[in-house]
Amino acid sequence: MPTGPDVTVIGEALVDIVHAPDGIRTSPGGSPANVALALARRGLAAELVTQLADDDHGRAVRAWLSGSGVAVRVPGVPARTSTAVARLDAEGAASYAFDIVWAPQPWSTSTAPVVHAGSIAAVLRPGADVVAAALDAAREHAVVTYDPNIRPSLITDPDDVRTRVARLVALSDVVKVSGEDLDWLHPGEDHRQVAADWAAAGPALVVVTEGADGLYAVHGSGAVEVLAARVQVVDTVGAGDTVMAALIAELHAPTAADARARIAGWSSGELEALLRRCAAAAAITVSRPGADPPWAAELRAAPPMA
């Protein structure tokens, strides 16, 4: 009997044009698309609601997603597929410039028990309003997860974006955010205090990634911190998306109520183990070029983190 997706991911899919010290490469990407890909590689039925044109870039992205088992839904086909130019420094850190098309039409509500959104799609008009409405509708039957993944070069109205992010944080069950995002959203404020404030506003779990300094979480059981895995970094593209997918994978349950009860019941020890699994997955991604998250077999074979 056919079943619906385990997770619906909402957001941009695009083509990354990466300028690295050793040359230029072109590959599919986009933060939400990376999350959907990472989930499918873990064996979950992942659906991506996105914008892709019927052009060379769009066909390349579709092939990349379908190759890992991601189902794609395009509510309103755009004139062109979005692109991002990424420039990597000597340490592999990426900076971006974007040509984004994001104007999806409203779509039927997903039946998935987990719905994720984030990045450009959650704040870029006109599509951001459609995304917010979809997440509002999803709250009744699904756990909602969110990653702001701020792209400052695309933002023309910082106050509007900060307001949108605060609203989405408040309606989410789980939020993952980078330290860089917090620097932009709450300049000069302590990251841990912001995470605590966000957790008080609604989410049961807030996870902050700090790159090589590791990651930590704020939860009802307390605050938990783990170090990043020691690994030779090739580039950081997709690392945060891998962490987001690892978090979402822990939420799979028959119903949203079951998943929420599971999240609320995590002990500090269970949460620490979860963060270590997230860090181990991200370590695989950063050890190779591009947004290439691990497959389930790679995760099973990875040595446990100390």
Side-chain angles (χ1 to χ4, degrees), residues 155-173:
I155 294 172
T156 58
D157 188 344
D159 289 340
D160 178 67
V161 169
R162 290 185 175 108
T163 298
R164 287 178 182 272
V165 169
R167 181 175 179 276
L168 293 173
V169 166
L171 69 79
S172 298
D173 296 284

Side-chain angles (χ1 to χ4, degrees), residues 293-305:
W295 295 81
E298 292 179 287
L299 293 170
R300 289 192 295 269
M305 289 179 58

